[in-house]
Amino acid sequence: QVQLVESGGGLVQPGGSLRLSCATSGFTFGSYAMNWYRQAPGKDRELVATINSAGVDIKYKDSVKGRFTISRDNAKNTVHLQMTSLKPEDTAVYYCNAKLESWISTRNYWGQGTQVTVSS
C-alpha cells in the first residue's frame, strides 16, 4: 500500500521558518522524482519544488527561490522542504507528490497535505 504522509505544517509569523517532511512507503522511493505542490484557497495547485530520483536535479518556483530548499533521503524514503523567510502568500496546503515517468506511462502518488499558515 502506497503511503505519503506529510508533517511539519502549522502557523508561523511572517519571516519565520518551517520544515515539512514527507514519509513514504509502498513504492520504490529511489526511482521516483519527488515534488512539493501547494494549493491556496480558490487557487490552482502549483508546483513549488522538485528533486529528481538521484537528488541532483532540483528546481523551484521563482517566488520561493532562495527561501525554500528541497532535499531527499533515499535511505529513509523521505523528502523534506525547508522553508525560510515565509510570507503570507506562502499560506496554502502543501502536498507531497511522487512521480515516475516512462515512455509508456506516468505514475503519481499524493499525500493528504499539510496546512501552512503564515500570519501575524
Side-chain angles (χ1 to χ4, degrees), residues 24-108:
T24 75
S25 61
F27 63 100
T28 309
F29 180 82
S31 296
Y32 282 67
M34 297 300 299
N35 309 294
W36 285 97
Y37 284 78
R38 68 185 181 189
Q39 187 166 21
K43 295 188 176 181
D44 292 334
R45 190 172 297 190
E46 61 182 9
L47 179 62
V48 175
T50 182
I51 185 167
N52 73 338
S53 58
V56 295
D57 187 13
I58 294 173
K59 296 181 177 64
Y60 298 98
K61 178 180 174 60
D62 283 348
S63 62
V64 308
K65 283 181 182 177
R67 300 189 297 121
F68 290 11
T69 302
I70 188 171
S71 62
R72 66 187 294 157
D73 185 339
N74 284 357
K76 296 183 178 179
N77 296 344
T78 58
V79 61
H80 303 283
L81 185 68
Q82 179 69 48
M83 306 186 295
T84 63
S85 302
L86 283 161
K87 304 175 181 180
E89 51 263 43
D90 295 318
T91 295
V93 178
Y94 283 71
Y95 296 91
C96 177
N97 165 258
K99 178 179 285 187
L100 177 63
E101 294 181 292
S102 71
W103 67 281
I104 55 172
S105 67
T106 297
R107 292 184 182 179
N108 265 305

Side-chain angles (χ1 to χ4, degrees), residues 105-116:
S105 67
T106 297
R107 292 184 182 179
N108 265 305
Y109 301 126
W110 292 91
Q112 82 289 347
T114 186
Q115 177 70 48
V116 171

Side-chain angles (χ1 to χ4, degrees), residues 5-11 17-21 81 83 114-116:
V5 180
E6 300 98 334
S7 61
L11 173 64
S17 299
L18 283 174
R19 186 177 190 241
L20 305 184
S21 296
L81 185 68
M83 306 186 295
T114 186
Q115 177 70 48
V116 171

